[in-house]
Amino acid sequence: MDLARTEVTSSRSGAAARLGLMAVPVAFFAVFFAWPVAAIVARGLKLDGVWQFGRITDVLAQSDIRHVLWFTTWQALASTALTLLVALPGAYVFARFEFPGKQVLRAVVTVPFVLPTVVVGTAFLALVGRGGLLDDLWGVRLDTTVWAILLAHVFFNYAVVVRTVGGLWGQLDPRQEEAARMLGASRLAAWRTVTLPALAPAVAAAALMVFLFTFTSFGVVQILGGPTFSTLEVEIYRQTSEIFDLPTAAVLTLIQFVAVGGVLALHAWTVRRRETALRLVDASMTARRPRGAGQWALLGGVLVSVVVLLLLPLAVLVQRSLDAPDFAYYRELTSDDSGVFLVAPIEAIGNSLEYALAATVIAVVIGGLAAAALTRRDAGRFVRGFDALLMLPLGVSAVTVGFGFLISLDEPPLDLRSSWILVPLAQALVGVPFVVRTMLPVLRAVDGRLREAAAVLGASPWRVWREVDLPMVRRALLIAAGFAFAVSLGEFGATVFIARPDNPTLPVAVAKLLGRAGDLNYGQAMALSTILMMVCAAALLVLERLRTDRTGEF
């Protein structure tokens, strides 16, 4: 009886501790996410204290807005389909094959995912745009066509499919498919009836995430789309910063919010199916060296696709930054005579590193508390809803959040418009979901009986975390911090509004340089993009040395 009472008391204290852990992340998201977004919507749809919902119909009646909605949805669907087509063979190769250089290649395919969208757009501009490689060789330009955007999205999201689908594929027991083959099924039939149904939740989850990232695409479309092509995110930016039409921007924000909410709900459902429906094995037991000409050909094809699709744009980016003799573009970064900034462009590097470090600390604290609160799989609907809330910053307009910061955090006790912390706060909003998704699977893998035993022996929740969880998740915590640093370094949508002219970040500096005519500005943009790419690539290589196959979801 005493033991049962102790277990009940422990369970209640655990539930109370989880609610306590959620308090800080909830407050953070309420103040720095929900409030700025609500402020923008209210500013656009409220007139003299009365909501003007009729503006929604007026905005949707505009033909150019309907074109933006159509293109946003169409290009997201096309990008998702093309990404799956190109990346699924890579997912299979990483899951089932063992070959020299596999760890380095895994880092290589992940680098594009954490690159700033501005760098991705710049890389493809150097490849297919004005004076790009294809323009020089064959006179082909794709910078004002949808193909450049689609290829850039495949480049950016290749790792999402490889990580999500390949991670599960490597843990599926191959003996199930072999048993179907022994019963007379062909290789295709065995894969279709055994492996494909098991992979379906992971494929669906990856497809939904790719759709989400491409549906809300900003930097890539801003640079490559020109005046012809515009996604919702780009149109919100245009309506906010160029036309100053807040009602239209507010309506588009609401539309994007509803769409993103639906995608995230579907994603959460597919993730729960993936977690509960399968019995998995150690991924290291399923990978082997390729056998036969067909498997070697598949491995070779994947390597070629990685080189052409992922490495070639980055190589061209580096080459364009070195076009001028004696590293002239890099040397010009130290000059403040261009008139683009109040300071030398080189100072954007130090600014970005400082902001990203501060954002990483914030994201790790907030994301770590949230992940600890979400550890139990049998959590109720409220906790699962909190999990979905944490993902919203990945899909809700960063432009809206950035502009919302300016109009909501403008009076005491939170008058932060002139404070340096505004940029790290915006960047941390994007970093928190990566921290949660990296740490949560590891925390859930910790044997719950260890926590219960420590609690029964009188340990406080804080001591349980310090003595039981922390030693087991230390590596995942470092990986989470690395991802948060990389994505904070490249955040652009919100930062473009709130970064001050005397303290520009690297992505903002690249975008401003590309927006000005002249070979010197173009070359400096390529040089800054190359520096930013190198920093992100170095961070990813370090993370791959820390990572194990079962560490996190990214």
Side-chain angles (χ1 to χ4, degrees):
M1 181 68 71
D2 291 339
L3 180 60
R5 187 179 297 110
T6 301
E7 290 177 349
V8 170
T9 303
S10 175
S11 176
R12 289 176 177 174
S13 64
R18 286 198 301 276
L19 291 176
L21 290 170
M22 289 170 57
V24 174
V26 167
F28 177 81
F29 274 80
V31 174
F32 298 112
F33 177 69
W35 186 14
V37 173
I40 281 289
V41 174
R43 182 71 64 94
L45 295 182
K46 218 172 184 181
L47 181 64
D48 297 329
V50 179
W51 288 96
Q52 306 291 322
F53 290 109
R55 291 181 176 178
I56 297 177
T57 304
D58 296 339
V59 170
L60 293 178
Q62 300 175 27
S63 60
D64 56 337
I65 296 299
R66 292 200 302 271
H67 176 76
V68 168
L69 292 173
W70 173 86
F71 176 74
T72 301
T73 305
W74 181 89
Q75 64 82 26
L77 290 172
S79 297
T80 301
L82 193 57
T83 303
L84 290 175
L85 179 66
V86 174
L88 282 176
Y92 175 78
V93 164
F94 280 104
R96 294 302 195 199
F97 292 167
E98 194 64 50
F99 52 90
K102 180 178 177 179
Q103 188 178 38
V104 174
L105 189 63
R106 189 191 299 272
V108 167
V109 302
T110 309
V111 166
F113 179 68
V114 298
L115 283 179
T117 55
V118 170
V119 173
V120 175
T122 306
F124 275 82
L125 189 65
L127 178 64
V128 302
R130 170 182 55 86
L133 180 65
L134 297 185
D135 188 15
D136 287 346
L137 294 179
W138 299 295
V140 176
R141 291 189 190 179
L142 298 178
D143 56 317
T144 55
T145 72
V146 71
W147 278 108
I149 296 172
L150 296 181
L151 290 175
H153 284 161
V154 174
F155 170 93
F156 187 75
N157 293 291
Y158 186 95
V160 176
V161 177
V162 169
R163 292 280 188 176
T164 305
V165 180
L168 178 62
W169 208 334
Q171 293 179 280
L172 294 181
D173 192 344
R175 293 173 295 185
Q176 297 178 356
E177 189 172 324
E178 293 169 1
R181 295 286 307 280
M182 292 181 63
L183 293 174
S186 65
R187 183 181 297 275
L188 179 61
W191 182 84
R192 188 180 67 250
T193 58
V194 177
T195 304
L196 183 58
L199 285 176
V203 174
L208 287 169
M209 289 309 296
V210 173
F211 180 85
L212 176 66
F213 291 139
T214 53
F215 187 85
T216 58
S217 181
F218 178 56
V220 167
V221 180
Q222 176 81 351
I223 291 175
L224 295 174
T228 307
F229 299 106
S230 179
T231 57
L232 270 174
E233 186 84 352
V234 174
E235 188 64 21
I236 291 171
Y237 174 76
R238 192 173 73 90
Q239 296 288 342
T240 303
S241 64
E242 298 178 8
I243 303 178
F244 305 108
D245 187 349
L246 283 184
T248 299
V251 170
L252 297 181
T253 296
L254 288 176
I255 293 172
Q256 184 165 305
F257 188 84
V258 171
V260 166
V263 172
L264 289 178
L266 282 174
H267 180 266
W269 178 72
T270 58
V271 168
R272 287 198 298 273
R273 285 189 61 195
R274 186 177 59 183
E275 288 181 344
T276 59
L278 301 173
R279 181 174 297 175
L280 306 177
V281 299
D282 189 344
S284 63
M285 299 174 60
T286 65
R288 53 180 171 78
R289 291 183 65 83
R291 299 174 184 173
Q295 292 188 353
W296 281 106
L298 177 60
L299 175 58
V302 169
L303 292 176
V304 169
S305 69
V306 168
V307 170
V308 173
L309 183 64
L310 304 186
L311 294 183
L312 182 59
L314 299 181
V316 174
L317 176 67
V318 176
Q319 184 268 328
R320 291 302 182 196
S321 73
L322 298 172
D323 258 355
D326 300 325
F327 301 97
Y329 293 145
Y330 289 90
R331 288 190 290 105
E332 284 297 324
L333 295 178
T334 61
S335 172
D336 58 357
D337 297 332
S338 64
V340 181
F341 307 105
L342 299 179
V343 295
I346 195 70
E347 294 194 18
I349 300 174
N351 295 336
S352 288
L353 292 175
E354 292 175 1
Y355 288 144
L357 286 172
T360 300
V361 173
I362 297 171
V364 168
V365 172
I366 300 298
L369 291 173
L374 295 167
T375 299
R376 290 180 62 94
R377 293 181 183 272
D378 58 350
R381 291 184 178 179
F382 175 74
V383 177
R384 289 199 299 269
F386 173 61
D387 191 9
L389 170 68
L390 297 174
M391 297 292 290
L392 280 177
L394 292 180
V396 172
S397 170
V399 170
T400 299
V401 174
F403 193 57
F405 269 31
L406 294 181
I407 67 172
S408 62
L409 304 177
D410 62 343
E411 57 185 9
L414 284 176
D415 186 0
L416 302 177
R417 285 177 301 174
S418 59
S419 173
W420 69 272
I421 197 65
L422 206 60
V423 173
L425 286 171
Q427 294 173 339
L429 283 172
V430 183
V432 167
F434 289 91
V435 173
V436 174
R437 300 264 69 84
T438 302
M439 294 187 63
L440 189 56
V442 183
L443 284 170
R444 285 177 172 172
V446 177
D447 191 340
R449 292 172 295 182
L450 296 176
R451 298 189 185 98
E452 294 171 1
V456 168
L457 292 174
S460 65
W462 165 244
R463 188 173 180 184
V464 170
W465 161 256
R466 189 179 70 245
E467 301 291 343
V468 176
D469 292 276
L470 184 59
M472 297 186 179
V473 302
R474 186 178 290 113
R475 177 170 292 192
L477 186 62
L478 291 174
I479 292 172
F483 268 114
F485 176 80
V487 298
S488 298
L489 197 65
E491 203 287 321
F492 176 61
T495 310
V496 72
F497 273 100
I498 56 182
R500 290 160 47 185
D502 57 342
N503 285 290
T505 64
L506 274 170
V508 171
V510 170
K512 287 187 177 297
L513 286 167
L514 285 176
R516 294 176 65 93
D519 290 338
L520 180 60
N521 290 321
Y522 180 82
Q524 289 184 88
M526 296 294 165
L528 281 179
S529 295
T530 300
I531 293 171
L532 190 49
M533 177 194 69
M534 294 298 184
V535 173
C536 291
L540 256 294
L541 288 173
V542 171
L543 293 184
E544 281 302 317
R545 294 187 64 85
L546 292 172
R547 177 179 294 279
T548 63
D549 286 341
R550 287 186 275 177
T551 302
E553 297 180 9
F554 283 97

